[in-house]
Amino acid sequence: DGGITQSPKYLFRKEGQNVTLSCEQNLNHDAMYWYRQDPGQGLRLIYYSQIVNDFQKGDIAEGYSVSREKKESFPLTVTSAQKNPTAFYLCASSSVQGESYNEQFFGPGTRLTVL
Amino acid sequence: QKEVEQNSGPLSVPEGAIASLNCTYSDRGSQSFFWYRQYSGKSPELIMSIYSNGDKEDGRFTAQLNKASQYVSLLIRDSQPSDSATYLCAVNRRLMTFGSGTQLTVLP
């Protein structure tokens, strides 16, 4: 089955710890994205990547880091510098056409709670 | 002004009625438009895409686009309780921008 997987589904973190969220896709999409969603809010873009070994900051990149060593994988690290990391994290992917990114498909999400 | 604006709701309609969800956007260069459905605690699911002015129908869903007015809407005919969800409008020029969503409740 083609799709996007994220793990873990739930993650609990103590203050001061770094945690890494996994995202894998087998849709052969070039572009991948990380969003944060807070209760009752829309999606805010953290980072995105169009090609392997290249990624760009989104609107709220501070306190987060990413890597893109493989086309299929785009892990997100939430660092201790992120002041309020409790949120629902969504990974997405899309194909790319010229300078445009096409419709995005989402993974099931990871719910991060800081204790 | 937000780039993509939606009424947050909640919007309540009785079962069998037509639900109308609206979205306006600020970037006149936007080229493609999408509606996502998000059930509580779940991730967004793409339900409609529209690229040119006019209407696009898919089953009980109709997306309407008016680029001159910078307006896109989603109509849900014969609304069912299973349609109760938050509906996100998304607009794409280069990168996709999402609205904050409209919460729809269909009352049995």
mmCIF file of all heavy atoms in Angstrom, chain B residues 4-50:
data_model
loop_
_atom_site.group_PDB
_atom_site.id
_atom_site.type_symbol
_atom_site.label_atom_id
_atom_site.label_comp_id
_atom_site.label_asym_id
_atom_site.label_seq_id
_atom_site.Cartn_x
_atom_site.Cartn_y
_atom_site.Cartn_z
ATOM 1 N N VAL B 4 -5.455 33.001 3.981
ATOM 2 C CA VAL B 4 -6.624 32.166 3.698
ATOM 3 C C VAL B 4 -7.553 32.279 4.894
ATOM 4 O O VAL B 4 -7.150 31.956 6.014
ATOM 5 C CB VAL B 4 -6.228 30.705 3.463
ATOM 6 C CG1 VAL B 4 -7.464 29.860 3.187
ATOM 7 C CG2 VAL B 4 -5.238 30.593 2.308
ATOM 8 N N GLU B 5 -8.758 32.730 4.662
ATOM 9 C CA GLU B 5 -9.702 32.959 5.762
ATOM 10 C C GLU B 5 -10.925 32.069 5.622
ATOM 11 O O GLU B 5 -11.497 31.941 4.538
ATOM 12 C CB GLU B 5 -10.135 34.423 5.803
ATOM 13 C CG GLU B 5 -9.030 35.376 6.162
ATOM 14 C CD GLU B 5 -9.518 36.626 6.884
ATOM 15 O OE1 GLU B 5 -10.332 36.498 7.820
ATOM 16 O OE2 GLU B 5 -9.087 37.711 6.498
ATOM 17 N N GLN B 6 -11.307 31.495 6.729
ATOM 18 C CA GLN B 6 -12.522 30.691 6.826
ATOM 19 C C GLN B 6 -13.259 31.078 8.092
ATOM 20 O O GLN B 6 -12.635 31.431 9.096
ATOM 21 C CB GLN B 6 -12.191 29.195 6.934
ATOM 22 C CG GLN B 6 -11.474 28.593 5.773
ATOM 23 C CD GLN B 6 -11.215 27.114 6.007
ATOM 24 O OE1 GLN B 6 -10.084 26.687 6.239
ATOM 25 N NE2 GLN B 6 -12.274 26.311 5.935
ATOM 26 N N ASN B 7 -14.580 30.985 8.047
ATOM 27 C CA ASN B 7 -15.356 31.117 9.284
ATOM 28 C C ASN B 7 -15.068 29.896 10.141
ATOM 29 O O ASN B 7 -15.153 28.766 9.680
ATOM 30 C CB ASN B 7 -16.851 31.206 8.981
ATOM 31 C CG ASN B 7 -17.193 32.526 8.331
ATOM 32 O OD1 ASN B 7 -16.527 33.531 8.578
ATOM 33 N ND2 ASN B 7 -18.216 32.530 7.504
ATOM 34 N N SER B 8 -14.728 30.139 11.401
ATOM 35 C CA SER B 8 -14.333 29.014 12.261
ATOM 36 C C SER B 8 -15.514 28.158 12.683
ATOM 37 O O SER B 8 -15.345 27.000 13.077
ATOM 38 C CB SER B 8 -13.597 29.525 13.494
ATOM 39 O OG SER B 8 -14.435 30.389 14.224
ATOM 40 N N GLY B 9 -16.724 28.751 12.576
ATOM 41 C CA GLY B 9 -17.909 28.028 13.008
ATOM 42 C C GLY B 9 -18.050 28.097 14.515
ATOM 43 O O GLY B 9 -17.578 29.051 15.140
ATOM 44 N N PRO B 10 -18.705 27.103 15.143
ATOM 45 C CA PRO B 10 -19.177 25.910 14.455
ATOM 46 C C PRO B 10 -20.409 26.150 13.598
ATOM 47 O O PRO B 10 -21.206 27.010 13.886
ATOM 48 C CB PRO B 10 -19.493 24.960 15.615
ATOM 49 C CG PRO B 10 -19.817 25.847 16.754
ATOM 50 C CD PRO B 10 -18.980 27.086 16.576
ATOM 51 N N LEU B 11 -20.505 25.379 12.529
ATOM 52 C CA LEU B 11 -21.645 25.416 11.636
ATOM 53 C C LEU B 11 -22.453 24.151 11.866
ATOM 54 O O LEU B 11 -21.904 23.049 11.799
ATOM 55 C CB LEU B 11 -21.156 25.464 10.181
ATOM 56 C CG LEU B 11 -22.211 25.329 9.084
ATOM 57 C CD1 LEU B 11 -23.142 26.534 9.110
ATOM 58 C CD2 LEU B 11 -21.539 25.204 7.721
ATOM 59 N N SER B 12 -23.715 24.326 12.169
ATOM 60 C CA SER B 12 -24.583 23.168 12.409
ATOM 61 C C SER B 12 -25.673 23.129 11.361
ATOM 62 O O SER B 12 -26.313 24.163 11.089
ATOM 63 C CB SER B 12 -25.214 23.245 13.802
ATOM 64 O OG SER B 12 -24.234 23.150 14.811
ATOM 65 N N VAL B 13 -25.889 21.959 10.782
ATOM 66 C CA VAL B 13 -26.972 21.768 9.815
ATOM 67 C C VAL B 13 -27.700 20.475 10.159
ATOM 68 O O VAL B 13 -27.092 19.545 10.707
ATOM 69 C CB VAL B 13 -26.450 21.718 8.358
ATOM 70 C CG1 VAL B 13 -25.753 23.009 7.993
ATOM 71 C CG2 VAL B 13 -25.562 20.518 8.130
ATOM 72 N N PRO B 14 -28.986 20.392 9.844
ATOM 73 C CA PRO B 14 -29.700 19.135 10.094
ATOM 74 C C PRO B 14 -29.354 18.102 9.023
ATOM 75 O O PRO B 14 -28.969 18.436 7.898
ATOM 76 C CB PRO B 14 -31.174 19.545 10.000
ATOM 77 C CG PRO B 14 -31.169 20.757 9.128
ATOM 78 C CD PRO B 14 -29.874 21.463 9.375
ATOM 79 N N GLU B 15 -29.468 16.853 9.393
ATOM 80 C CA GLU B 15 -29.220 15.762 8.452
ATOM 81 C C GLU B 15 -30.094 15.925 7.209
ATOM 82 O O GLU B 15 -31.284 16.247 7.306
ATOM 83 C CB GLU B 15 -29.523 14.423 9.130
ATOM 84 C CG GLU B 15 -29.201 13.210 8.290
ATOM 85 C CD GLU B 15 -29.380 11.913 9.062
ATOM 86 O OE1 GLU B 15 -29.663 11.968 10.280
ATOM 87 O OE2 GLU B 15 -29.234 10.836 8.457
ATOM 88 N N GLY B 16 -29.465 15.738 6.044
ATOM 89 C CA GLY B 16 -30.188 15.866 4.783
ATOM 90 C C GLY B 16 -30.130 17.251 4.159
ATOM 91 O O GLY B 16 -30.474 17.421 2.987
ATOM 92 N N ALA B 17 -29.670 18.234 4.909
ATOM 93 C CA ALA B 17 -29.579 19.610 4.409
ATOM 94 C C ALA B 17 -28.293 19.807 3.612
ATOM 95 O O ALA B 17 -27.419 18.927 3.550
ATOM 96 C CB ALA B 17 -29.634 20.589 5.576
ATOM 97 N N ILE B 18 -28.188 20.982 2.995
ATOM 98 C CA ILE B 18 -26.954 21.357 2.295
ATOM 99 C C ILE B 18 -26.078 22.175 3.246
ATOM 100 O O ILE B 18 -26.529 23.162 3.824
ATOM 101 C CB ILE B 18 -27.252 22.193 1.035
ATOM 102 C CG1 ILE B 18 -28.037 21.357 0.024
ATOM 103 C CG2 ILE B 18 -25.944 22.703 0.411
ATOM 104 C CD1 ILE B 18 -28.483 22.147 -1.203
ATOM 105 N N ALA B 19 -24.835 21.759 3.390
ATOM 106 C CA ALA B 19 -23.859 22.519 4.176
ATOM 107 C C ALA B 19 -23.013 23.337 3.216
ATOM 108 O O ALA B 19 -22.530 22.818 2.202
ATOM 109 C CB ALA B 19 -22.985 21.587 5.003
ATOM 110 N N SER B 20 -22.834 24.613 3.518
ATOM 111 C CA SER B 20 -22.061 25.510 2.667
ATOM 112 C C SER B 20 -20.875 26.067 3.451
ATOM 113 O O SER B 20 -21.060 26.720 4.482
ATOM 114 C CB SER B 20 -22.946 26.657 2.180
ATOM 115 O OG SER B 20 -22.202 27.563 1.389
ATOM 116 N N LEU B 21 -19.691 25.782 2.968
ATOM 117 C CA LEU B 21 -18.455 26.209 3.635
ATOM 118 C C LEU B 21 -17.720 27.182 2.718
ATOM 119 O O LEU B 21 -17.579 26.922 1.523
ATOM 120 C CB LEU B 21 -17.574 24.989 3.927
ATOM 121 C CG LEU B 21 -18.261 23.889 4.734
ATOM 122 C CD1 LEU B 21 -17.483 22.593 4.668
ATOM 123 C CD2 LEU B 21 -18.439 24.319 6.174
ATOM 124 N N ASN B 22 -17.260 28.271 3.272
ATOM 125 C CA ASN B 22 -16.682 29.340 2.463
ATOM 126 C C ASN B 22 -15.243 29.641 2.836
ATOM 127 O O ASN B 22 -14.832 29.453 3.990
ATOM 128 C CB ASN B 22 -17.518 30.610 2.636
ATOM 129 C CG ASN B 22 -18.967 30.374 2.290
ATOM 130 O OD1 ASN B 22 -19.285 29.738 1.299
ATOM 131 N ND2 ASN B 22 -19.863 30.852 3.136
ATOM 132 N N CYS B 23 -14.518 30.174 1.857
ATOM 133 C CA CYS B 23 -13.096 30.457 2.044
ATOM 134 C C CYS B 23 -12.712 31.610 1.122
ATOM 135 O O CYS B 23 -13.114 31.630 -0.042
ATOM 136 C CB CYS B 23 -12.310 29.192 1.711
ATOM 137 S SG CYS B 23 -10.522 29.358 1.664
ATOM 138 N N THR B 24 -11.980 32.577 1.636
ATOM 139 C CA THR B 24 -11.425 33.629 0.801
ATOM 140 C C THR B 24 -9.911 33.622 0.930
ATOM 141 O O THR B 24 -9.371 33.190 1.953
ATOM 142 C CB THR B 24 -11.963 35.016 1.199
ATOM 143 O OG1 THR B 24 -11.642 35.258 2.578
ATOM 144 C CG2 THR B 24 -13.457 35.109 1.002
ATOM 145 N N TYR B 25 -9.229 34.094 -0.113
ATOM 146 C CA TYR B 25 -7.778 34.093 -0.113
ATOM 147 C C TYR B 25 -7.272 35.423 -0.636
ATOM 148 O O TYR B 25 -7.967 36.130 -1.370
ATOM 149 C CB TYR B 25 -7.233 32.918 -0.928
ATOM 150 C CG TYR B 25 -7.652 32.925 -2.390
ATOM 151 C CD1 TYR B 25 -6.845 33.497 -3.364
ATOM 152 C CD2 TYR B 25 -8.866 32.365 -2.779
ATOM 153 C CE1 TYR B 25 -7.225 33.506 -4.693
ATOM 154 C CE2 TYR B 25 -9.263 32.376 -4.103
ATOM 155 C CZ TYR B 25 -8.450 32.951 -5.051
ATOM 156 O OH TYR B 25 -8.840 32.962 -6.364
ATOM 157 N N SER B 26 -6.047 35.764 -0.270
ATOM 158 C CA SER B 26 -5.541 37.101 -0.579
ATOM 159 C C SER B 26 -4.603 37.142 -1.785
ATOM 160 O O SER B 26 -4.456 38.189 -2.413
ATOM 161 C CB SER B 26 -4.836 37.681 0.644
ATOM 162 O OG SER B 26 -3.751 36.864 1.027
ATOM 163 N N ASP B 27 -3.958 36.018 -2.110
ATOM 164 C CA ASP B 27 -2.957 36.003 -3.176
ATOM 165 C C ASP B 27 -3.612 35.757 -4.532
ATOM 166 O O ASP B 27 -4.047 34.641 -4.824
ATOM 167 C CB ASP B 27 -1.910 34.923 -2.885
ATOM 168 C CG ASP B 27 -0.759 34.930 -3.890
ATOM 169 O OD1 ASP B 27 -0.823 35.678 -4.895
ATOM 170 O OD2 ASP B 27 0.199 34.178 -3.670
ATOM 171 N N ARG B 28 -3.663 36.799 -5.371
ATOM 172 C CA ARG B 28 -4.319 36.664 -6.677
ATOM 173 C C ARG B 28 -3.584 35.706 -7.610
ATOM 174 O O ARG B 28 -4.161 35.251 -8.597
ATOM 175 C CB ARG B 28 -4.425 38.036 -7.359
ATOM 176 C CG ARG B 28 -5.491 38.919 -6.768
ATOM 177 C CD ARG B 28 -5.808 40.092 -7.679
ATOM 178 N NE ARG B 28 -6.988 40.796 -7.215
ATOM 179 C CZ ARG B 28 -8.226 40.461 -7.560
ATOM 180 N NH1 ARG B 28 -8.433 39.437 -8.361
ATOM 181 N NH2 ARG B 28 -9.256 41.142 -7.094
ATOM 182 N N GLY B 29 -2.323 35.407 -7.306
ATOM 183 C CA GLY B 29 -1.564 34.478 -8.128
ATOM 184 C C GLY B 29 -1.799 33.022 -7.788
ATOM 185 O O GLY B 29 -1.196 32.140 -8.399
ATOM 186 N N SER B 30 -2.662 32.744 -6.840
ATOM 187 C CA SER B 30 -2.948 31.362 -6.443
ATOM 188 C C SER B 30 -3.503 30.587 -7.626
ATOM 189 O O SER B 30 -4.308 31.099 -8.404
ATOM 190 C CB SER B 30 -3.941 31.330 -5.283
ATOM 191 O OG SER B 30 -3.414 32.002 -4.165
ATOM 192 N N GLN B 31 -3.060 29.339 -7.735
ATOM 193 C CA GLN B 31 -3.368 28.583 -8.949
ATOM 194 C C GLN B 31 -4.210 27.344 -8.689
ATOM 195 O O GLN B 31 -4.882 26.858 -9.593
ATOM 196 C CB GLN B 31 -2.064 28.165 -9.627
ATOM 197 C CG GLN B 31 -1.224 29.342 -10.067
ATOM 198 C CD GLN B 31 0.165 28.927 -10.514
ATOM 199 O OE1 GLN B 31 0.641 27.856 -10.172
ATOM 200 N NE2 GLN B 31 0.822 29.769 -11.279
ATOM 201 N N SER B 32 -4.148 26.794 -7.508
ATOM 202 C CA SER B 32 -4.911 25.585 -7.233
ATOM 203 C C SER B 32 -5.471 25.650 -5.820
ATOM 204 O O SER B 32 -4.905 26.309 -4.947
ATOM 205 C CB SER B 32 -4.047 24.330 -7.429
ATOM 206 O OG SER B 32 -2.812 24.472 -6.787
ATOM 207 N N PHE B 33 -6.596 24.966 -5.641
ATOM 208 C CA PHE B 33 -7.401 25.148 -4.438
ATOM 209 C C PHE B 33 -7.909 23.787 -3.988
ATOM 210 O O PHE B 33 -8.308 22.960 -4.815
ATOM 211 C CB PHE B 33 -8.561 26.097 -4.736
ATOM 212 C CG PHE B 33 -8.102 27.381 -5.354
ATOM 213 C CD1 PHE B 33 -7.885 27.470 -6.724
ATOM 214 C CD2 PHE B 33 -7.842 28.488 -4.576
ATOM 215 C CE1 PHE B 33 -7.423 28.639 -7.307
ATOM 216 C CE2 PHE B 33 -7.379 29.668 -5.139
ATOM 217 C CZ PHE B 33 -7.172 29.748 -6.505
ATOM 218 N N PHE B 34 -7.896 23.587 -2.672
ATOM 219 C CA PHE B 34 -8.197 22.260 -2.155
ATOM 220 C C PHE B 34 -9.076 22.354 -0.922
ATOM 221 O O PHE B 34 -9.032 23.335 -0.170
ATOM 222 C CB PHE B 34 -6.901 21.531 -1.779
ATOM 223 C CG PHE B 34 -5.884 21.498 -2.889
ATOM 224 C CD1 PHE B 34 -4.916 22.477 -2.989
ATOM 225 C CD2 PHE B 34 -5.920 20.496 -3.839
ATOM 226 C CE1 PHE B 34 -3.989 22.457 -4.025
ATOM 227 C CE2 PHE B 34 -5.002 20.475 -4.878
ATOM 228 C CZ PHE B 34 -4.036 21.461 -4.961
ATOM 229 N N TRP B 35 -9.852 21.312 -0.717
ATOM 230 C CA TRP B 35 -10.597 21.138 0.530
ATOM 231 C C TRP B 35 -10.148 19.830 1.178
ATOM 232 O O TRP B 35 -10.109 18.783 0.526
ATOM 233 C CB TRP B 35 -12.097 21.103 0.283
ATOM 234 C CG TRP B 35 -12.669 22.455 0.006
ATOM 235 C CD1 TRP B 35 -12.948 22.997 -1.206
ATOM 236 C CD2 TRP B 35 -13.036 23.444 0.984
ATOM 237 N NE1 TRP B 35 -13.450 24.263 -1.059
ATOM 238 C CE2 TRP B 35 -13.523 24.569 0.281
ATOM 239 C CE3 TRP B 35 -12.997 23.485 2.381
ATOM 240 C CZ2 TRP B 35 -13.972 25.716 0.918
ATOM 241 C CZ3 TRP B 35 -13.440 24.626 3.020
ATOM 242 C CH2 TRP B 35 -13.927 25.730 2.291
ATOM 243 N N TYR B 36 -9.818 19.937 2.463
ATOM 244 C CA TYR B 36 -9.457 18.777 3.267
ATOM 245 C C TYR B 36 -10.494 18.614 4.372
ATOM 246 O O TYR B 36 -11.006 19.595 4.917
ATOM 247 C CB TYR B 36 -8.085 18.964 3.916
ATOM 248 C CG TYR B 36 -6.907 18.860 2.973
ATOM 249 C CD1 TYR B 36 -6.513 19.954 2.186
ATOM 250 C CD2 TYR B 36 -6.165 17.678 2.877
ATOM 251 C CE1 TYR B 36 -5.424 19.856 1.336
ATOM 252 C CE2 TYR B 36 -5.078 17.586 2.031
ATOM 253 C CZ TYR B 36 -4.715 18.669 1.268
ATOM 254 O OH TYR B 36 -3.629 18.572 0.426
ATOM 255 N N ARG B 37 -10.764 17.378 4.719
ATOM 256 C CA ARG B 37 -11.639 17.050 5.845
ATOM 257 C C ARG B 37 -10.775 16.472 6.954
ATOM 258 O O ARG B 37 -9.933 15.594 6.715
ATOM 259 C CB ARG B 37 -12.687 16.020 5.422
ATOM 260 C CG ARG B 37 -13.636 15.552 6.512
ATOM 261 C CD ARG B 37 -14.674 14.609 5.937
ATOM 262 N NE ARG B 37 -14.057 13.415 5.380
ATOM 263 C CZ ARG B 37 -14.655 12.615 4.494
ATOM 264 N NH1 ARG B 37 -15.878 12.885 4.062
ATOM 265 N NH2 ARG B 37 -14.021 11.546 4.038
ATOM 266 N N GLN B 38 -10.995 16.949 8.182
ATOM 267 C CA GLN B 38 -10.215 16.461 9.314
ATOM 268 C C GLN B 38 -11.165 16.070 10.438
ATOM 269 O O GLN B 38 -11.811 16.935 11.042
ATOM 270 C CB GLN B 38 -9.213 17.521 9.804
ATOM 271 C CG GLN B 38 -8.282 16.992 10.878
ATOM 272 C CD GLN B 38 -7.213 17.989 11.283
ATOM 273 O OE1 GLN B 38 -7.345 19.197 11.093
ATOM 274 N NE2 GLN B 38 -6.126 17.483 11.845
ATOM 275 N N TYR B 39 -11.237 14.776 10.700
ATOM 276 C CA TYR B 39 -12.002 14.305 11.847
ATOM 277 C C TYR B 39 -11.203 14.565 13.113
ATOM 278 O O TYR B 39 -9.968 14.633 13.089
ATOM 279 C CB TYR B 39 -12.318 12.813 11.715
ATOM 280 C CG TYR B 39 -13.289 12.482 10.611
ATOM 281 C CD1 TYR B 39 -12.902 11.721 9.504
ATOM 282 C CD2 TYR B 39 -14.610 12.914 10.675
ATOM 283 C CE1 TYR B 39 -13.803 11.409 8.490
ATOM 284 C CE2 TYR B 39 -15.508 12.614 9.663
ATOM 285 C CZ TYR B 39 -15.093 11.867 8.577
ATOM 286 O OH TYR B 39 -15.985 11.565 7.579
ATOM 287 N N SER B 40 -11.921 14.697 14.218
ATOM 288 C CA SER B 40 -11.293 15.014 15.489
ATOM 289 C C SER B 40 -10.203 13.996 15.836
ATOM 290 O O SER B 40 -10.448 12.782 15.829
ATOM 291 C CB SER B 40 -12.343 15.043 16.602
ATOM 292 O OG SER B 40 -11.755 15.342 17.843
ATOM 293 N N GLY B 41 -9.009 14.477 16.091
ATOM 294 C CA GLY B 41 -7.894 13.607 16.474
ATOM 295 C C GLY B 41 -7.209 12.907 15.320
ATOM 296 O O GLY B 41 -6.266 12.142 15.536
ATOM 297 N N LYS B 42 -7.647 13.179 14.094
ATOM 298 C CA LYS B 42 -7.073 12.522 12.916
ATOM 299 C C LYS B 42 -6.362 13.532 12.037
ATOM 300 O O LYS B 42 -6.410 14.731 12.270
ATOM 301 C CB LYS B 42 -8.177 11.824 12.115
ATOM 302 C CG LYS B 42 -8.965 10.798 12.909
ATOM 303 C CD LYS B 42 -8.099 9.641 13.354
ATOM 304 C CE LYS B 42 -8.932 8.564 14.035
ATOM 305 N NZ LYS B 42 -8.076 7.441 14.528
ATOM 306 N N SER B 43 -5.700 13.021 11.001
ATOM 307 C CA SER B 43 -4.995 13.906 10.086
ATOM 308 C C SER B 43 -5.920 14.341 8.941
ATOM 309 O O SER B 43 -6.940 13.701 8.680
ATOM 310 C CB SER B 43 -3.758 13.198 9.529
ATOM 311 O OG SER B 43 -4.132 12.037 8.802
ATOM 312 N N PRO B 44 -5.591 15.436 8.258
ATOM 313 C CA PRO B 44 -6.429 15.911 7.145
ATOM 314 C C PRO B 44 -6.426 14.934 5.975
ATOM 315 O O PRO B 44 -5.417 14.309 5.656
ATOM 316 C CB PRO B 44 -5.764 17.235 6.755
ATOM 317 C CG PRO B 44 -4.983 17.657 7.948
ATOM 318 C CD PRO B 44 -4.513 16.389 8.568
ATOM 319 N N GLU B 45 -7.581 14.858 5.323
ATOM 320 C CA GLU B 45 -7.781 13.992 4.170
ATOM 321 C C GLU B 45 -8.267 14.854 3.015
ATOM 322 O O GLU B 45 -9.245 15.589 3.135
ATOM 323 C CB GLU B 45 -8.828 12.928 4.526
ATOM 324 C CG GLU B 45 -9.284 12.064 3.379
ATOM 325 C CD GLU B 45 -10.532 11.270 3.737
ATOM 326 O OE1 GLU B 45 -11.162 11.533 4.774
ATOM 327 O OE2 GLU B 45 -10.912 10.390 2.941
ATOM 328 N N LEU B 46 -7.595 14.758 1.875
ATOM 329 C CA LEU B 46 -7.980 15.531 0.698
ATOM 330 C C LEU B 46 -9.304 15.017 0.145
ATOM 331 O O LEU B 46 -9.445 13.820 -0.120
ATOM 332 C CB LEU B 46 -6.896 15.413 -0.370
ATOM 333 C CG LEU B 46 -7.139 16.160 -1.678
ATOM 334 C CD1 LEU B 46 -7.144 17.659 -1.456
ATOM 335 C CD2 LEU B 46 -6.082 15.771 -2.713
ATOM 336 N N ILE B 47 -10.286 15.922 -0.013
ATOM 337 C CA ILE B 47 -11.573 15.500 -0.557
ATOM 338 C C ILE B 47 -11.916 16.156 -1.883
ATOM 339 O O ILE B 47 -12.667 15.593 -2.672
ATOM 340 C CB ILE B 47 -12.729 15.715 0.446
ATOM 341 C CG1 ILE B 47 -12.808 17.162 0.925
ATOM 342 C CG2 ILE B 47 -12.605 14.769 1.638
ATOM 343 C CD1 ILE B 47 -14.063 17.466 1.730
ATOM 344 N N MET B 48 -11.387 17.356 -2.142
ATOM 345 C CA MET B 48 -11.697 18.030 -3.404
ATOM 346 C C MET B 48 -10.516 18.898 -3.811
ATOM 347 O O MET B 48 -9.857 19.502 -2.967
ATOM 348 C CB MET B 48 -12.932 18.919 -3.275
ATOM 349 C CG MET B 48 -14.254 18.188 -3.160
ATOM 350 S SD MET B 48 -14.744 17.383 -4.691
ATOM 351 C CE MET B 48 -15.266 18.796 -5.669
ATOM 352 N N SER B 49 -10.295 18.991 -5.110
ATOM 353 C CA SER B 49 -9.349 19.949 -5.665
ATOM 354 C C SER B 49 -10.029 20.648 -6.834
ATOM 355 O O SER B 49 -10.844 20.044 -7.543
ATOM 356 C CB SER B 49 -8.074 19.246 -6.099
ATOM 357 O OG SER B 49 -8.366 18.224 -7.034
ATOM 358 N N ILE B 50 -9.696 21.915 -7.033
ATOM 359 C CA ILE B 50 -10.282 22.677 -8.139
ATOM 360 C C ILE B 50 -9.252 23.662 -8.642
ATOM 361 O O ILE B 50 -8.513 24.271 -7.853
ATOM 362 C CB ILE B 50 -11.603 23.372 -7.707
ATOM 363 C CG1 ILE B 50 -12.297 24.020 -8.905
ATOM 364 C CG2 ILE B 50 -11.376 24.337 -6.567
ATOM 365 C CD1 ILE B 50 -13.742 24.409 -8.630
#
